[in-house]
Structure formats: C-alpha cells, structure tokens
Amino acid sequence: MFADRAKIWIRSGKGGDGHVSFRRELYVPNGGPDGGDGGKGGDVIFEVDEGLNTLTDYRHKRKYTAQDGQEGGKRNCHGKNGQDITLKVPEGTVIKDAESGRVIADMSAKNRRQVVLKGGRGGIGNQHFATATMQVPKYAKPGQPAQELEVLLELKVIADVGLVGFPNVGKSTLLSRVTNAQPKIANYHFTTLSPNLGVVDLDEGGFVIADIPGLIEGASEGVGLGLDFLRHIERTKIIIHMVDAASVEGRDPIADIYAINKELEAYNPEIAARPQVIAANKMDAVWDPAENPAEKIRQEFEPKGIKVFPISAVTGQGLKELMYHIKEILDTMDDKPVIFEQEFFPEDMFIQENLPYTVEKSAEEANTYIVEGPRIEKMLGYTNLDSEKGFAFFQRFLKDTGILEELEKAGIQEGDTVRMYGLTFDYFR
C-alpha cells in the first residue's frame, strides 16, 4: 500500500556523565583527580534515499532512538560517543512537529541530509575542577539530557504540473499517453489510489507531471481520500483541470471545475491562485457533432484567463498543443522548486528561558567580550553550528535572548571578538 504519511517518535542520545576518580598507584597514595569526560550522545539524522518512494517502513515501527554517550572512566578515559541513528526517507518528505504542525525540515532539492535532534554533550570529569584551593574535587558534570520529539512525516510529490479532476475523467489515460508512466487504468472510481509521476519530453525540454487521484467535494475537510491527495499538489507550479466534456457520466464539467477550485481554495488559497489550464477530455465521445461542449467551457473560463484545450486522451487529439502550452507557461516561471521553509526549531524546546547568562568585557584581552552561563552552554550543546540552518538558529538565539543588545550596552564595536565556551567570532552589525 502506498504510504505518504507517518507519525513517529524520535529521541537523540543522552550525553555520558563525567567521572569522579583519583589516581591510585604504587607510591602515589593521594594522587590527583583523573575522572574522564563522558561521550556525546548520538544524533537523529534524516537522509534522502533515492530508492524510496513511500513511507511504508515508518508505518510498522514508530520509535527511533540514537545511542547514549558512555560515562567517562578513571585514568582520564573519555567515554565512547553514542552512535547516530540515520532515518532514510524518500525525496520530497516534509518533517513536521506533530503537535504544532510546523515544518522542521523539507527533504528535497539540495537538502539531502539534516540533523533534526542533536545528542547531548558529554559531561566533564572531576579532573577539570581541580584548582589551587580545591585539589580534591569530588564532583563531575553530568551529560546533557537527550532530546525527544514526536514528528509527522508527509511525502509531497515533486512535480511541475498537477493533474486534478473528479474520478474517472481520464487523468491516468492522459498520463499514459504523454509520458512513459504506466498507471492502472479502468472504468471505475478511484482506480488510482496513489499519485503517479511521469516525465513529458518535448523538443524544448521536459517537465514532470503528477496525476493526483480523483478529488470529490468536501476533500479539503477530509471527505473521502481528499486530504491524502491534496498535499501532493502543494509543490506543483501549474494545475491542469481535467473534465469530462462529453458528460459521459452525466456530470457538468463547468460545475466540476468550480467545485475543485473551491476545494483547492479551502485547502490552501496559494495553490488555487497558481496558473491553471483546462483539459476538456473525451471529445471523441461527443455524440452530437453540432454540439461543442468545449466552447461552453471556453466562454465560461477563458475570460478569467484560464485557457481551455479540447482533447481526447484516448485518441491523442489536442495533447501536443496542451503539453506545449504548459511548457510555455513553465518557461516564464521561476525554475526554483517549491520548498517549505523551516518554521520549528527543536533547539527552542530544550533551551530553558530561565537559565542565566553573563556578558562581560575581558580584563585580560583587549577588545574581547566573554559570554557564558548555563543557558549559553546548553544552547551550544544542542546546536549544530557547522550547518547553515544551525548557524541561522544560533544568530536568531543571540538576537531573541537579548545577548546582542547586552554586548552593545557593554560597548562592543565592529571587529571586536566574542568568546563563548571555546567558540570565537568577530562581531559585526
């Protein structure tokens, strides 16, 4: 069965605790502290797998956990880092926070691999706490806790053109004629139960078209299989309305177009506003030569800027003209794919707002400012600064928490240095 939606629970690894121990060797009865640091917890990573096209695997297993970091050992032994867990998903999968529905990651275009939950940083052993006045520290730092989150995976097919229409209007037949796709075709409702993709090859280039399974009235409210299908047109740039112009089943094609547009508008107004083309199908089945149902559709929709093409998916009539018109529209549009931007940052959940931090000018280094405290340390432990999105979160954190404002109050100038627990960067407005 085609699976394009799954809800799973993910957890990163906990950081290993720092160790408390002291050297105990022959002739060294009271050696100094030698407790090692704990290992880092494993990350939860999502990665695109070109060989996958459904989320079926996530229907059978719901919980995924990265490995915890190992506790530090005596003799300055560092605990083993926890193993990451990598979850493979098909291209086009959107990862959302299950509770809020906000986007965490869109696994498409250039985003092939993303760390969604970072493992906790390992705690430090008691060897780090030795000072001239405290030579026997009997405490170590625990590892940072794991992060856990329930996420919703939604597969939204990647296609330039979405082919929509009520059941049994000939969408699968059209796709089989203009592409190499081989969808199941039969004369009964809901033959197509999953989106079919095909590539249209033209002299001037090609484009990807998706046959979106038949919609019905109330689809945007979850009637029938509507919501399961509507999400697949969110990435499309052009919509082809396919109607039964011959009214073989007694349907009114004009009313059908308005009904589907109403569902698109209710689901996502932005989709309904995208360019549309009408394919008036089954012209070969019009029994009265004097009647031209495509002309009635033209009179209704072409004044609204929606071009109508009389076609027959069975005989091939009008298909070439329709496909070239679609290509002309695509050539005038931005060729960037439709990407869902990140709206939810898991790091926000794990950085407590009430933890303190300090901003001070260094007394030892000129033009240097020190920012530290539990809140800063926790943020750095959960943020992947090597990634573009992680660094963007870091910048937003500095602004939202008021750290940048505090630095300016302390007198920082452009080009001055800021230090945060081993992280050093130059300040620029």
Side-chain angles (χ1 to χ4, degrees):
M1 180 180 175
F2 179 75
D4 58 3
R5 204 164 188 262
K7 189 180 287 187
I8 62 174
W9 180 85
I10 55 176
R11 175 189 177 276
S12 64
K14 174 190 176 299
D17 295 337
H19 190 68
V20 177
S21 62
F22 299 90
R23 287 178 61 197
R24 291 293 181 267
E25 300 174 22
L26 190 63
Y27 308 119
V28 189
N30 296 310
D34 68 351
D37 301 343
K40 175 187 172 298
D43 299 335
V44 178
I45 302 167
F46 282 83
E47 189 171 270
V48 171
D49 185 334
E50 306 289 352
L52 295 177
N53 55 20
T54 79
L55 296 169
T56 303
D57 292 347
Y58 299 101
R59 289 286 184 91
H60 307 297
K61 183 180 177 183
R62 301 280 182 163
K63 293 187 176 182
Y64 297 86
T65 306
Q67 192 177 42
D68 292 340
Q70 191 179 53
E71 182 184 354
K74 54 187 176 182
R75 298 183 181 177
N76 300 329
C77 287
H78 193 291
K80 183 181 178 182
N81 291 339
Q83 191 171 356
D84 299 336
I85 183 169
T86 301
L87 306 181
K88 303 293 183 87
V89 293
E91 183 175 9
T93 300
V94 177
I95 304 164
K96 297 181 177 180
D97 169 51
E99 183 176 351
S100 67
R102 290 184 293 166
V103 175
I104 298 173
D106 184 351
M107 306 305 295
S108 60
K110 295 181 180 179
N111 190 25
R112 319 306 287 179
R113 187 176 189 273
Q114 182 164 334
V115 177
V116 170
L117 293 183
K118 275 190 67 68
R121 180 181 290 178
I124 55 179
N126 69 332
Q127 59 172 312
H128 296 280
F129 295 100
T131 65
T133 56
M134 173 61 72
Q135 297 183 11
V136 189
K138 296 182 179 179
Y139 53 88
K141 191 170 184 179
Q144 286 186 322
Q147 301 181 31
E148 57 185 58
L149 190 64
E150 189 174 36
V151 296
L152 178 65
L153 308 181
E154 286 187 349
L155 177 58
K156 301 177 191 288
V157 298
I158 298 175
D160 302 302
V161 181
L163 186 59
V164 301
F166 276 79
N168 211 27
V169 296
K171 298 190 303 299
S172 296
T173 304
L174 172 67
L175 192 71
S176 69
R177 289 298 299 263
V178 300
T179 75
N180 289 325
Q182 296 181 326
K184 183 179 179 182
I185 300 171
N187 190 29
Y188 53 90
H189 288 178
F190 293 111
T191 304
T192 305
L193 292 177
S194 63
N196 290 302
L197 293 178
V199 178
V200 177
D201 288 320
L202 302 174
D203 296 337
E204 293 81 5
F207 55 87
V208 179
I209 187 169
D211 163 22
I212 309 301
L215 302 178
I216 60 176
E217 291 179 79
S220 60
E221 299 170 2
V223 175
L225 299 174
L227 283 176
D228 292 337
F229 299 149
L230 278 166
R231 74 173 61 94
H232 291 292
I233 57 176
E234 290 192 73
R235 294 190 195 272
T236 59
K237 299 176 182 177
I238 300 175
I239 294 172
I240 299 178
H241 280 278
M242 196 161 186
V243 292
D244 175 4
S247 300
V248 172
E249 296 188 348
R251 302 194 62 88
D252 179 354
I254 293 176
D256 283 357
I257 294 169
Y258 280 122
I260 286 181
N261 269 338
K262 182 180 177 182
E263 296 306 321
L264 296 179
E265 176 76 26
Y267 179 71
N268 187 338
E270 183 187 336
I271 296 173
R274 291 173 189 169
Q276 298 183 5
V277 176
I278 296 172
N281 191 31
K282 302 190 181 181
M283 293 300 293
D284 58 302
V286 176
W287 62 272
D288 186 355
E291 187 179 337
N292 187 355
E295 189 57 35
K296 294 179 182 178
I297 302 172
R298 271 202 182 102
Q299 292 172 5
E300 181 70 22
F301 291 101
E302 289 202 345
K304 296 178 169 59
I306 303 176
K307 196 165 178 60
V308 178
F309 287 83
I311 69 165
S312 169
V314 171
T315 67
Q317 172 193 341
L319 296 186
K320 183 177 180 180
E321 292 83 356
L322 174 62
M323 293 300 108
Y324 273 95
H325 178 69
I326 294 294
K327 184 65 171 66
E328 287 176 8
I329 298 176
L330 286 171
D331 287 343
T332 65
M333 303 177 74
D334 189 345
D335 60 357
K336 291 182 179 178
V338 177
I339 301 295
F340 297 91
E341 296 298 329
Q342 186 169 5
E343 305 166 323
F344 182 89
F345 294 83
E347 298 94 331
D348 282 340
M349 296 178 58
F350 306 103
I351 301 171
Q352 298 177 28
E353 296 297 324
N354 57 353
L355 290 176
Y357 66 86
T358 59
V359 176
E360 297 177 349
K361 188 171 184 178
S362 173
E364 301 171 354
E365 299 178 82
N367 305 320
T368 299
Y369 293 78
I370 311 297
V371 181
E372 54 187 22
R375 190 171 182 186
I376 307 301
E377 189 173 13
K378 192 166 188 178
M379 179 273 297
L380 292 175
Y382 284 129
T383 307
N384 181 17
L385 296 179
D386 294 332
S387 74
E388 183 179 342
K389 291 183 178 179
F391 192 73
F393 169 78
F394 170 66
Q395 291 177 307
R396 186 167 60 86
F397 172 85
L398 296 181
K399 182 180 179 181
D400 292 348
T401 53
I403 292 173
L404 292 181
E405 187 178 345
E406 291 287 336
L407 285 168
E408 290 175 359
K409 285 181 182 178
I412 196 167
Q413 300 295 320
E414 286 205 18
D416 287 354
T417 300
V418 178
R419 294 194 188 281
M420 295 183 181
Y421 291 100
L423 177 69
T424 301
F425 63 93
D426 294 331
Y427 173 80
F428 290 100
R429 285 189 177 88

